[in-house]
Amino acid sequence: MAWKKWVVGAAVGAAAVYAIRAASRPALLAPEKALAIAKQSLGGPLSIRGSWIQAAPERYEKNGLTYTVYRGGICRDDGDDEFWVNAYTGAIVDTKPL
């Protein structure tokens, strides 16, 4: 009978640890919110003609660090840029001209 109590206790403990870890993970930003942050950061003095963002987050490595990012682009009068924005914080990880 003691082993049944031990198994039930272990199962309850494992479920509690799983629930706590799941609740403590930061939530991903909505892609639209990440695009709005990127447009505000990269817009500059020129008007933005168009923009896009991929809705599925992807892995991106830069300087030996791995990020979860959304990839997108901005079209301005002076040129077009592709950007990678952190899916959790909204920080711009990298940009490159298209």
Side-chain angles (χ1 to χ4, degrees):
M1 194 65 155
W3 65 273
K4 289 181 182 178
K5 289 182 181 179
W6 185 87
V7 170
V8 169
V12 169
V17 168
Y18 177 78
I20 290 169
R21 284 189 180 173
S24 66
R25 268 187 223 131
L28 289 173
L29 290 173
E32 296 81 14
K33 176 71 174 169
L35 179 59
I37 293 170
K39 285 170 66 173
Q40 183 179 8
S41 298
L42 300 173
L46 299 174
S47 63
I48 295 174
R49 292 182 290 131
S51 61
W52 59 273
I53 193 161
Q54 289 185 341
E58 59 186 51
R59 291 268 196 239
Y60 184 77
E61 188 171 328
K62 181 177 179 183
N63 298 331
L65 298 173
T66 302
Y67 301 93
T68 301
V69 298
Y70 292 117
R71 185 167 53 111
I74 290 185
C75 301
R76 294 185 306 248
D77 293 333
D78 65 341
D80 303 338
D81 288 328
E82 185 174 21
F83 64 85
W84 290 265
V85 61
N86 189 313
Y88 293 104
T89 65
I92 304 295
V93 175
D94 200 4
T95 62
K96 78 172 188 181
L98 291 176

